[in-house]
Amino acid sequence: MDNRLKIKLSDDDLNARIERACQYFKDGYNCSQSVVAAFADLYGFTHEQSLLMSASFGGGIGRMRQTCGTACGMFLLVGLDCGTTDGSDRVGKSHNYAQVQRLAEQFKSQTGSLICAELLGLKNPKITSQAEERTTEYYQKRPCPLMVRTAATIFANYLREKYG
């Protein structure tokens, strides 16, 4: 498949990106933005562009508690890495889908679910567009920082495997 990254990534660089993703979340960015912003520059996107392209996926896609935003961010990055721009490229599409499914399975096996509400332990999630205030209690009651670390680590390992 197409080799989009033209640089060699060191373990130190990838580990720093994982930590950067975690810090972005602590700084108030949503879960998806945190993962995407840590890696999107590798594909020529600015920090601002990475935040904008991933903004809608936080909170399980628009805070609807569906697919975890960190997983959505990871999938967005896989699309940047091996997605296709040719509508008739069935081989390319299939390759991308296979990578998404592989990383989704890794995420699910490590976290127990791909669904935000399940990860948060919500039986009947209240759907609201209101972003929550980030407080000490917020971080203590949520697994989101761990989800950010997990998705960023899975994507970093994907890059290690693919690019050495």
Side-chain angles (χ1 to χ4, degrees):
M1 299 281 30
D2 157 340
N3 187 0
R4 303 228 170 120
L5 290 181
K6 305 300 182 205
I7 61 172
K8 182 150 175 66
L9 298 169
S10 70
D11 280 341
D12 288 344
D13 178 54
L14 290 171
N15 291 335
R17 289 173 184 279
I18 294 166
E19 295 309 317
R20 191 175 311 141
C22 296
Q23 187 60 52
Y24 285 149
F25 189 75
K26 290 176 188 171
D27 290 344
Y29 294 104
N30 77 34
C31 51
S32 187
Q33 287 175 312
S34 299
V35 174
V36 173
F39 295 93
D41 66 296
L42 295 172
Y43 303 97
F45 289 91
T46 66
H47 182 70
E48 182 179 73
Q49 288 169 326
S50 71
L51 296 173
L52 291 171
M53 78 170 87
S54 56
S56 299
F57 298 102
I61 307 174
R63 216 167 177 279
M64 293 185 291
R65 305 302 185 208
Q66 297 298 315
T67 304
C68 174
T70 67
C72 290
M74 182 174 61
F75 304 150
L76 191 152
L77 291 168
V78 171
L80 294 177
D81 190 71
C82 70
T84 182
T85 59
D86 179 352
S88 65
D89 182 0
R90 291 179 52 226
V91 172
K93 289 178 188 179
S94 298
H95 174 74
N96 176 253
Y97 297 157
Q99 297 310 304
V100 168
Q101 290 174 15
R102 184 173 69 87
L103 298 186
E105 186 54 41
Q106 289 177 30
F107 186 87
K108 188 175 177 181
S109 73
Q110 291 181 39
T111 65
S113 182
L114 280 170
I115 305 302
C116 176
E118 292 174 7
L119 294 167
L120 294 175
L122 303 174
K123 299 287 184 212
N124 296 305
K126 180 182 174 196
I127 306 302
T128 173
S129 60
Q130 187 60 46
E132 288 186 60
E133 182 180 358
R134 298 287 180 90
T135 63
T136 303
E137 293 78 29
Y138 173 93
Y139 290 108
Q140 288 175 345
K141 71 178 182 174
R142 296 209 175 265
C144 304
L146 177 59
M147 300 304 116
V148 169
R149 179 173 298 283
T150 300
T153 301
I154 291 169
F155 188 71
N157 289 338
Y158 163 87
L159 293 176
R160 282 183 179 103
E161 290 171 18
K162 185 170 180 181
Y163 298 103

